[in-house]
Amino acid sequence: MKIEVTHVIKADPQVVKLFSAFLGALGTPSQNIKAADAVEMVKTTAASTDKEETTTSTKATKRTYLFHEESGTVLEVNKGEELAKHLEQGLVEITKAEYDRIQAEKQARIKKAKEQADDKATNETLEQTGKDESDDHGITFEMVRAEAKKLASSGRQADLKAILTSFDAPKLTAVPEDKFLELLAAIKEAVGEE
C-alpha cells in the first residue's frame, strides 16, 4: 500500500512535525508497520519535541524578578519576555519582596553617597573661601523666605518689593547670602517683629 499526500498544512509547527513523523512511520521501508505502531512512534517524537521546546524557550509566564549574586544586580522581566538568556548568565529568580528590598537598599546607598559627596564639596568650599558657618550668623535662606512669606501673606507685597529694591534685588533669591542678616532684620521690622 502506498500513501501519497500532497496537501500543504498551515498549522502549528509542532503539529506539522507530528504529522510528518506519522507519515514517516507509515512509509518506513523494509518494515510492515501497523497504524498502532506508527501512533506509538509519533508519541515518542512528540515527547522529544516537547522536551526540546521546554529547554529552548523559557518565556516568563508572569512578571519575574531576577538577582545576580556576584554583581548584586536585580532585573525585572515582564510576562512573555525571554528568561533563558538571563538564567544562563547566572541570574536566579527572587520574590517581589526581595526585589523591592534590594532596590530600596540600593537607593539608600546612592542617597548616602550623594549626601557624603555634597558634605565633602561643602567642606572643601568652606576651606577654600575661609568662611565658616559663624560668618553668616546662622541665617538661612529658608528663614528669610519664611519671614518674607509672612509679610506677603498679610497683603503687604508692596512693602516686600520695596525692601528687595533697597537691596538691589528683583526677587528674594537674588539677595546675596552675606546680606541675609540685614534683609531678615528689615523684613521683621516691616512685619512688626523685633
Side-chain angles (χ1 to χ4, degrees):
M1 171 165 110
K2 182 176 182 180
I3 299 176
E4 192 172 315
V5 177
T6 56
H7 189 296
V8 176
I9 299 174
K10 291 184 179 178
D12 181 26
Q14 186 175 7
V15 172
V16 173
K17 283 181 183 178
L18 294 174
F19 187 69
S20 297
F22 180 74
L23 291 177
L26 284 176
T28 303
S30 75
Q31 290 183 351
N32 191 4
I33 297 180
K34 298 178 185 173
D37 294 334
V39 169
E40 190 60 38
M41 290 174 79
V42 169
K43 285 181 183 177
T44 304
T45 304
S48 67
T49 302
D50 287 343
K51 286 180 187 174
E52 287 174 15
E53 288 193 9
T54 304
T55 58
T56 59
S57 175
T58 51
K59 295 197 182 241
T61 57
K62 61 180 181 174
R63 182 166 289 168
T64 306
Y65 304 94
L66 303 172
F67 175 67
H68 190 263
E69 193 169 340
E70 289 177 24
S71 66
T73 303
V74 288
L75 180 68
E76 183 176 346
V77 179
N78 291 320
K79 180 179 179 181
E81 289 182 9
E82 192 62 43
L83 279 174
K85 63 182 177 186
H86 301 301
L87 297 174
E88 289 170 3
Q89 294 173 351
L91 280 89
V92 294
E93 190 170 342
I94 58 173
T95 65
K96 169 102 169 80
E98 290 172 311
Y99 174 84
D100 290 341
R101 180 188 54 78
I102 293 168
Q103 286 292 72
E105 288 173 358
K106 181 179 176 183
Q107 291 302 320
R109 283 192 307 271
I110 291 170
K111 183 179 178 183
K112 184 176 180 181
K114 185 177 184 302
E115 288 172 355
Q116 288 174 343
D118 289 347
D119 288 346
K120 183 178 178 184
T122 301
N123 290 338
E124 287 174 358
T125 302
L126 288 174
E127 287 174 10
Q128 289 172 355
T129 60
K131 274 180 123 180
D132 65 6
E133 293 180 13
S134 62
D135 288 348
D136 67 0
H137 303 289
I139 306 299
T140 64
F141 177 75
E142 288 74 23
M143 294 166 70
V144 174
R145 182 174 47 192
E147 286 299 316
K149 192 173 184 180
K150 285 181 190 177
L151 188 61
S153 65
S154 66
R156 299 181 54 201
Q157 293 89 350
D159 291 341
L160 180 59
K161 186 77 172 167
I163 292 170
L164 290 173
T165 303
S166 71
F167 284 90
D168 294 325
K171 56 186 179 180
L172 198 58
T173 56
V175 177
E177 280 185 56
D178 61 341
K179 300 287 184 184
F180 282 179
L181 183 61
E182 295 173 45
L183 177 61
L184 186 61
I187 293 172
K188 281 187 173 190
E189 184 180 326
V191 170
E193 294 178 8
E194 293 280 327

